[in-house]
Amino acid sequence: MFQGCTNLTEVEIGCDTETIDKGAFYGCKILENINVLVDENKTSNLKSIGQNAFYECESLNMENLFSNIDSVKSIGNNAFENCSLNLCNTITIPNSVSSIGTNCFKNSGIEKIYIRDTKDKYREVLVSSFVENDDSIDGTKGY
C-alpha cells in the first residue's frame, strides 16, 4: 500500500476500514501519527492490524494509538517492531484485542501493555512475556 514511502508523516484511517493490511506502512521511517477516524457514534470498524503493518516506522508515536477505538481484535506478528520513538514505555490497548502476534512491539521501547477492561480497570501485560521466545498472546488463554 504505502510501503517504504519516504515522505509520509501522518495517516488517517477511515472509520469504515476493517483491516490495515500486512506490510501496509512497512518502512515508512518518518511516519509520526496514525489517526483512526470514528463515525458520529464514536465507533470504528477497524478489526485487524496485519503482520508488519508498521514495521520500522521509526518516528511513530504510539502513546495514544488506540485511545479512540475499541474494535480491534488482532494485532499481527511484528506489527510495530522497530517503531522506536515513544513518549512513554507503555501502551493501552482495548479489551477487544484477543490476539497479539509474536514480536509485535519488539524494539519499540514499549515495556508494558495495559489492556483496558473498563474505564476504571486495566490489566497489565509485560511485553517481555511474548517477545522472541513465545508465539503470541492469545486472549483466550489468560495472562
Side-chain angles (χ1 to χ4, degrees), residues 45-106:
N45 287 320
L46 186 61
K47 306 270 188 274
S48 174
I49 298 173
Q51 178 177 334
N52 296 319
F54 296 97
Y55 185 90
E56 290 189 348
C57 291
E58 297 171 352
S59 301
L60 186 61
N61 178 4
M62 293 190 291
E63 184 176 19
N64 295 310
L65 184 62
F66 297 102
S67 63
N68 66 341
I69 54 173
D70 288 325
S71 56
V72 176
K73 296 187 183 307
S74 68
I75 304 172
N77 295 342
N78 312 91
F80 296 98
E81 184 173 347
N82 295 327
C83 294
S84 55
L85 175 69
N86 288 296
L87 300 176
C88 63
N89 63 356
T90 64
I91 190 169
T92 300
I93 61 174
N95 191 39
S96 59
V97 174
S98 60
S99 176
I100 299 174
T102 303
N103 295 326
C104 181
F105 296 105
K106 182 178 179 184

Side-chain angles (χ1 to χ4, degrees), residues 106-123:
K106 182 178 179 184
N107 296 327
S108 67
I110 299 293
E111 296 173 7
K112 292 181 184 176
I113 298 172
Y114 292 97
I115 300 173
R116 185 175 52 240
D117 281 339
T118 65
K119 291 184 180 183
D120 298 325
K121 291 179 117 181
Y122 295 88
R123 289 182 286 162

Side-chain angles (χ1 to χ4, degrees), residues 1-18:
M1 188 181 228
F2 295 99
Q3 187 172 2
C5 284
T6 57
N7 296 320
L8 189 63
T9 60
E10 188 168 357
V11 172
E12 285 189 347
I13 307 294
C15 61
D16 292 330
T17 302
E18 292 187 10

